[in-house]
Amino acid sequence: MLLMKDVIQDGHPTLRLRAKEVELPLSDEDFNTLKDMMELVVNSQNEELTEKYNLRPSVGLAAPQINISKKMFCIVAPHEKTGQLYKLAVINPKIISFSEEKTYLGGGEGCLSVDEEITGLVRRSKRIKARVNLVNLETREITKAVIKLNGFPGIVFQHEYDHLLGVLFVDKMEEYISDIEPLQFGE
């Protein structure tokens, strides 16, 4: 089971590397790593488990954050308007289009690999389209797909994707954003 001690922090060189492609078919090691990553994200959203294991809440985790420089990440994020839960285990993603229309999280983004006291405003595309390999963590089945994401899941995808490029949200932070609307929850 992955814990906070397994998540490397800003300043660690792996966080600044461009991650390598994951070889297919998926090795047992890569599959188990992806399962462990998903377990950490899911556990971090359970209040009882966050207390028991001293976890910080999260909605995503990329392999570079656990010192594995490979193109894979997990997301467990609800859509802010529909409540639909996006639970994705992704390998070798490629964002193929970004909307020109931008948004940001009004409360700021945070990251397990950055001191928990630091949050910041980051401009993100409102909508993205990405080519991905989605991994079913029950059956090991891999589905090649082109997915479209918007709202909160789209922001989370962009944040995790940045990790694969060696970029942290603190690199893109702005002190104040007044020319675009923040993402609204619960409307």
Side-chain angles (χ1 to χ4, degrees):
M1 176 178 178
L2 291 174
L3 298 170
M4 292 309 301
K5 68 175 179 52
D6 301 305
V7 178
I8 60 176
Q9 296 300 300
D10 190 12
H12 192 289
T14 300
L15 290 172
R16 296 306 184 166
L17 299 174
R18 289 183 78 85
K20 294 178 174 36
E21 291 278 316
V22 176
E23 286 188 35
L24 296 175
L26 208 52
S27 70
D28 288 344
E29 181 180 3
D30 288 341
F31 178 74
N32 289 328
T33 296
L34 208 50
K35 277 185 81 160
D36 290 346
M37 290 166 54
M38 181 64 81
E39 180 184 40
L40 175 61
V41 176
V42 169
N43 288 349
S44 80
Q45 295 181 16
N46 178 310
E47 199 173 308
E48 189 177 303
L49 295 176
T50 57
E51 198 169 306
K52 180 178 181 179
Y53 296 113
N54 197 28
L55 303 174
R56 284 178 51 200
S58 70
V59 290
L61 182 68
Q65 292 179 270
I66 57 168
N67 202 22
I68 298 172
S69 190
K70 291 187 177 182
K71 291 183 178 180
M72 54 186 184
F73 59 74
C74 293
I75 291 174
V76 181
H79 194 279
E80 71 284 356
K81 291 193 171 128
T82 66
Q84 177 185 349
L85 188 65
Y86 288 78
K87 188 174 180 181
L88 306 173
V90 177
I91 54 174
N92 299 333
K94 173 71 175 155
I95 295 179
I96 53 178
S97 68
F98 296 88
S99 67
E100 286 186 29
E101 195 176 9
K102 305 292 182 196
T103 191
Y104 66 98
L105 293 180
E109 292 184 24
C111 181
L112 294 179
S113 291
V114 176
D115 186 320
E116 64 188 295
E117 299 301 314
I118 298 174
T119 57
L121 305 179
V122 179
R123 285 175 196 268
R124 300 285 186 186
S125 293
K126 261 194 173 177
R127 294 172 304 285
I128 60 166
K129 186 176 0 176
R131 188 176 299 114
V132 297
N133 293 285
L134 298 174
V135 181
N136 181 320
L137 296 176
E138 302 298 318
T139 65
R140 283 185 78 130
E141 183 181 339
I142 297 174
T143 306
K144 291 179 185 273
V146 172
I147 60 174
K148 294 178 181 180
L149 295 170
N150 62 48
F152 187 59
I155 288 174
V156 175
F157 191 101
Q158 291 171 76
H159 177 108
E160 300 308 328
Y161 187 79
D162 279 351
H163 279 298
L164 307 183
L165 303 175
V167 175
L168 297 175
F169 84 95
V170 292
D171 303 329
K172 296 181 167 189
M173 271 181 13
E174 296 180 41
E175 201 169 305
Y176 184 72
I177 298 176
S178 62
D179 59 328
I180 57 176
E181 291 295 316
L183 189 65
Q184 299 296 321
F185 283 82
E187 290 185 348

